[in-house]
Amino acid sequence: MKLAERLSAAVAGGIRRIGQIAIRPQDGVYLLCHIDDENSDASLLEKFEGSATARDLSTWAEDGHYRFTKGELSLKRGWLLQLSSSEELRQALDHFYPAAAGLWFAQHDGRLEIEHLRDKLNRQTGMYRFARTLSDAGAQRLVSEVCGPGHCCVKKILWQLDANTPLEDSEASRFDGVTGDIDRSQAIPLLCREACNHFVAEARKASKAEQDAKATG
Ligand code: SF4
């Protein structure tokens, strides 16, 4: 089954949320809005049609900053987006949360590939190769300092340090990828299958700080 058809079947089966987006099927179309506008007077929301608008809506946050990663908890409010087909729904969700629905289906099918942190860091070259030497303790600390809703990322982390070393318990490692108060069976969780570029950049900095501390200690 194509991704758009699977998505449509999932919505028909009760899926109503992904990240900060509320999804409502209505009279053959799909209506999307920010979850905090779900119960707002629709006449007060700015109306848009078509999936291309999702790119603009997802690029800039309310305060005008560029949303560096789409998993950021900073989607702006005040809009209502109408989509006329399941393919438009797929495209729009891919703009808001790239590949998120596909990753969720892949996880369901047992074919989602996960890359653990050591494998990711060991692949780094150039200036990022310093990230390879980050200690385990430093990596665990970084997860709690970079990931999770407390740091504006609302993805569920699927990777470990390596195949034998799970992440330590923290708000970040515990987060389930679903934003807000909703029956979890009605939401598509945002999944993190490998550390993002932002995390790798922070790993490089933390690793350098560890080496500097050793040199001066
Ligand atoms: S590594 Fe994953 S969970 Fe952590 S900040 Fe990046 S995208 Fe979010």
Side-chain angles (χ1 to χ4, degrees):
M1 200 190 296
K2 280 165 54 180
L3 187 54
E5 291 166 11
R6 259 189 111 167
L7 207 44
S8 152
V11 173
I15 287 295
R16 293 291 179 272
R17 182 170 297 187
I18 179 169
Q20 289 181 285
I21 302 275
I23 307 167
R24 194 167 75 231
Q26 185 177 292
D27 303 328
V29 302
Y30 299 95
L31 297 175
L32 269 51
C33 67
H34 190 290
I35 53 175
D36 293 338
D37 290 331
E38 218 174 348
N39 299 315
S40 302
D41 179 349
S43 67
L44 299 177
L45 301 176
E46 194 175 358
K47 313 284 185 306
F48 297 99
E49 284 184 23
S51 57
T53 312
R55 185 186 296 124
D56 302 329
L57 290 171
S58 64
T59 301
W60 307 100
E62 196 75 61
D63 65 3
H65 82 259
Y66 175 70
R67 298 178 71 241
F68 179 67
T69 153
K70 298 286 175 78
E72 220 185 72
L73 197 59
S74 60
L75 194 67
K76 68 177 169 191
R77 297 179 54 182
W79 50 269
L80 184 68
L81 177 60
Q82 180 173 314
L83 303 163
S84 60
S85 68
S86 56
E87 180 55 27
E88 282 218 329
L89 175 66
R90 184 198 67 74
Q91 290 171 2
L93 293 187
D94 247 4
H95 285 311
F96 283 117
Y97 297 111
L103 289 178
W104 182 61
F105 288 127
Q107 188 188 43
H108 257 254
D109 299 344
R111 57 181 170 80
L112 180 59
E113 290 181 12
I114 292 162
E115 182 169 52
H116 294 308
L117 185 63
R118 284 291 166 215
D119 295 329
K120 176 88 183 189
L121 297 184
N122 287 339
R123 279 199 297 112
Q124 301 306 309
T125 55
M127 64 186 257
Y128 290 104
R129 73 187 183 284
F130 291 109
R132 298 179 195 173
T133 53
L134 181 65
S135 68
D136 278 7
Q140 296 281 13
R141 194 165 45 247
L142 205 57
V143 171
S144 64
E145 288 174 357
V146 169
C147 307
H151 304 97
C152 233
C153 182
V154 286
K155 290 190 180 180
K156 176 183 172 70
I157 304 174
L158 301 177
W159 42 268
Q160 308 189 144
L161 288 203
D162 58 46
N164 301 313
T165 317
L167 299 186
E168 290 171 357
D169 183 53
S170 68
E171 186 209 33
S173 66
R174 238 178 286 130
F175 188 66
D176 67 359
V178 177
T179 306
D181 191 17
I182 188 174
D183 176 349
R184 275 25 202 169
S185 68
Q186 295 183 350
I188 296 176
L190 299 179
L191 304 176
C192 176
R193 59 165 291 275
E194 64 179 310
C196 66
N197 291 343
H198 172 54
F199 190 96
V200 172
E202 292 300 313
R204 169 184 172 269
K205 279 191 231 163
S207 176
K208 283 200 74 126
E210 282 181 350
Q211 286 169 31
D212 290 349
K214 264 189 219 158
T216 56

